[in-house]
């Protein structure tokens, strides 16, 4: 079912039933008024909605208009509706486990977008931040935890030369979802160089999503976990 919102949006209310994953609202570029209209209309179809790439003004407007809301300001992402309350109260029904690794602290905003998306989708998440290859020993304890917890998927987030996913793929049998970020100097080219580097990964078992796309990485991980569950 498509729900039309004035002349600004056509919501795909049955996406989760048809494609196995819910629709999300991409807030970037939307006015506050349009965003609020879209969220309200979507909540007439479903009990919860995920909103990505929010700015400060949009976050404040959401807080004013909705009682059940969970905001991750670092990740610029929010959940409105029933699942917001479940996450805040720690009552999420979990279907599987993933781990999120970042090479550096500067990659955390992308990781937090991935984290909140994963929680929205019912995934338990282990976070290991600032474990990049400049000091490879930092990976020892996180990889032990991944093995102990029998993690289903690893999301590896990195800027610069983007080597972290390849290193992880050579050290574990867990599928890797690689996320290039726009973090880096000069020839990083806002993440393009990192993207190409990840696509050239020598170890197999690495899938790559678009630059800074933490949301897409978690949806891909969710689809893997969902088929296994």
């Amino acid at each position: 079912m498509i729900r039309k919102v004035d002349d600004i949006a056509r919501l795909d209310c049955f996406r989760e039933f048809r494609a196995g994953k819910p629709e999300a609202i991409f807030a970037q570029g939307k006015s506050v008024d349009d965003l609020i209209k879209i969220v309200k209309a979507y909540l007439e179809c479903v009990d919860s909605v995920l909103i990505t790439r929010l700015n400060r003004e949009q976050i404040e407007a959401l807080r004013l208009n909705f009682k059940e809301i969970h905001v991750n300001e670092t990740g610029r992402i929010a959940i409105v509706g029933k699942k917001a309350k479940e996450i805040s109260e720690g009552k999420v029904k979990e279907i599987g486990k993933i781990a999120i690794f970042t090479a550096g602290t500067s990659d955390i905003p992308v990781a937090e977008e991935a984290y909140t998306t994963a929680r929205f989708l019912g995934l338990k998440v282990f976070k290991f931040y600032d474990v990049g290859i400049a000091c490879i020993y930092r990976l020892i304890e996180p990889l032990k935890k991944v093995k102990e917890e029998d993690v289903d998927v690893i999301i590896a987030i990195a800027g610069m030369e983007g080597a972290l996913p390849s290193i992880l793929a050579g050290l574990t049998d867990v599928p890797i979802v690689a996320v290039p970020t726009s973090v880096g100097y000069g020839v990083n080219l806002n993440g393009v160089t990192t993207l190409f580097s990840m696509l050239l990964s020598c170890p197999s078992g690495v899938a790559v999503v678009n630059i800074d796309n933490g949301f897409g990485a978690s949806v891909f991980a969710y689809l893997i976990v969902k088929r296994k569950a």
Side-chain angles (χ1 to χ4, degrees):
M1 180 181 75
I2 301 299
R3 183 178 182 85
K4 188 177 180 183
V5 184
D6 296 338
D7 291 323
I8 60 171
R10 288 175 170 80
L11 305 180
D12 183 4
C13 294
F14 284 175
R15 182 173 300 181
E16 186 166 9
F17 298 100
R18 185 187 70 252
K21 51 189 178 292
E23 184 173 21
I25 298 171
F26 184 76
Q28 187 173 314
K30 291 180 174 63
S31 71
V32 168
D33 289 343
D34 285 350
L35 178 62
I36 298 302
K37 283 181 185 178
I38 292 168
V39 174
K40 286 181 176 179
Y42 198 34
L43 286 172
E44 293 177 6
C45 301
V46 297
D47 61 19
S48 306
V49 59
L50 183 71
I51 310 151
T52 68
R53 298 303 168 94
L54 290 157
N55 61 35
R56 171 66 60 181
E57 184 183 9
Q58 291 168 330
I59 289 171
E60 293 308 315
L62 288 170
R63 283 176 166 149
L64 286 172
N65 281 273
F66 302 100
K67 291 182 179 179
E68 291 185 331
I69 181 169
H70 175 83
V71 177
N72 184 328
E73 294 194 20
T74 302
R76 296 171 55 200
I77 188 168
I79 298 166
V80 175
K82 180 182 176 182
K83 287 186 180 179
K85 184 178 180 181
E86 290 175 353
I87 288 173
S88 297
E89 295 178 352
K91 296 180 179 178
V92 178
K93 183 179 179 181
E94 296 168 344
I95 66 166
K97 303 174 185 178
I98 69 167
I100 300 176
F101 286 64
T102 73
T105 305
S106 297
D107 302 311
I108 288 176
V110 177
E112 286 297 300
E113 180 182 83
Y115 171 75
T116 296
T117 301
R119 296 301 289 149
F120 178 80
L121 294 169
L123 300 175
K124 183 173 183 177
V125 181
F126 299 94
K127 297 194 283 189
F128 305 107
Y129 292 171
D130 193 31
V131 291
I133 66 162
C135 180
I136 201 165
Y137 304 109
R138 292 182 292 190
L139 289 172
I140 294 173
E141 290 303 319
L143 286 173
K144 284 182 180 178
K145 186 70 172 178
V146 164
K147 188 172 183 62
E148 288 169 3
E149 294 290 341
D150 194 23
V151 165
D152 300 301
V153 181
I154 292 172
I155 295 175
I157 302 170
M160 301 291 187
E161 80 295 329
L164 180 62
S166 294
I167 296 295
L168 289 170
L171 295 173
T172 179
D173 62 353
V174 179
I176 308 292
V177 183
V179 187
T181 71
S182 50
V183 173
Y185 299 104
V187 293
N188 172 265
L189 302 177
N190 292 317
V192 173
T193 302
T194 312
L195 171 63
F196 287 169
S197 178
M198 289 181 177
L199 289 169
L200 283 166
S201 175
C202 179
S204 57
V206 178
V208 185
V209 299
N210 206 351
I211 299 164
D212 293 336
N213 191 3
F215 164 77
S218 281
V219 172
F220 188 74
Y222 165 72
L223 291 174
I224 295 173
V225 173
K226 184 181 176 185
R227 294 188 69 84
K228 181 180 176 182

